[in-house]
Amino acid sequence: MIKFFPFDLNTHNNYKKLISAINQIEFELKTLSDIEIQSKSKKLQTLARNSNLISSEILIEGFALVREASSRTLGLRHYDTQLFGGLVLNDNKIAEMQTGEGKTLVATSPAYVNALTGNGVQIVTVNEYLAQRDA
């Protein structure tokens, strides 16, 4: 179970709506080829760089793309809890998660959507195995 600080019920409910929207496009992405996924990613990148901000549209599709890419490349699918944690991190909040809840995987979604703008993003982990696996 994720706890986030500072906690706000409206924000919590907004995260649930975003996760629902991410889940709604999951099946569509599963039917696309790798090249089509890459094309969607390039379109998001152009959109993010032109607007210089991360809209909810970019956030939803970006998180969904990362989930699909992770499923295809690592065999690891982001669960809703991990999407929730990523949304918390994306809002510059602290997400507290227990051991084994997928904290390293959580960081990939907000890192991706923020990298779309062309700004650098860094993920730091002390777990060498996870760093090599998820690189």
Side-chain angles (χ1 to χ4, degrees):
M1 180 162 132
I2 294 180
K3 298 177 187 173
F4 67 95
F5 307 97
F7 180 79
D8 174 35
L9 187 58
N10 289 332
T11 302
H12 182 269
N13 291 334
N14 187 45
Y15 292 155
K16 285 184 173 183
K17 290 177 187 173
L18 290 169
I19 290 168
S20 178
I22 293 165
N23 288 336
Q24 287 177 359
I25 62 174
E26 182 176 15
F27 180 74
E28 172 199 337
L29 294 180
K30 285 197 173 306
T31 65
L32 300 179
S33 69
D34 289 350
I35 292 173
E36 290 169 318
I37 293 284
Q38 291 171 359
S39 175
K40 280 193 166 288
S41 184
K42 293 226 183 275
K43 287 178 186 174
L44 274 185
Q45 184 180 45
T46 301
L47 189 61
R49 288 186 178 182
N50 289 341
S51 65
N52 205 21
L53 62 97
I54 303 301
S55 66
S56 60
E57 174 190 339
I58 293 171
L59 190 69
I60 291 165
E61 191 162 356
F63 271 54
L65 284 170
V66 170
R67 175 193 261 176
E68 183 58 26
S70 176
S71 291
R72 292 180 187 199
T73 59
L74 299 173
L76 299 172
R77 179 188 172 273
H78 291 65
Y79 294 107
D80 288 357
T81 298
Q82 292 163 323
L83 295 174
F84 194 100
L87 293 169
V88 170
L89 293 178
N90 194 66
D91 278 347
N92 298 314
K93 292 180 172 51
I94 298 169
E96 180 183 353
M97 298 175 72
Q98 299 296 316
T99 299
E101 285 192 288
K103 292 180 285 294
T104 305
L105 196 58
V106 163
T108 58
S109 298
Y112 170 76
V113 296
N114 285 282
L116 288 171
T117 62
N119 297 325
V121 174
Q122 298 174 353
I123 299 174
V124 178
T125 180
V126 295
N127 187 317
E128 189 172 329
Y129 164 76
L130 293 177
Q132 289 180 358
R133 181 197 75 185
D134 295 346

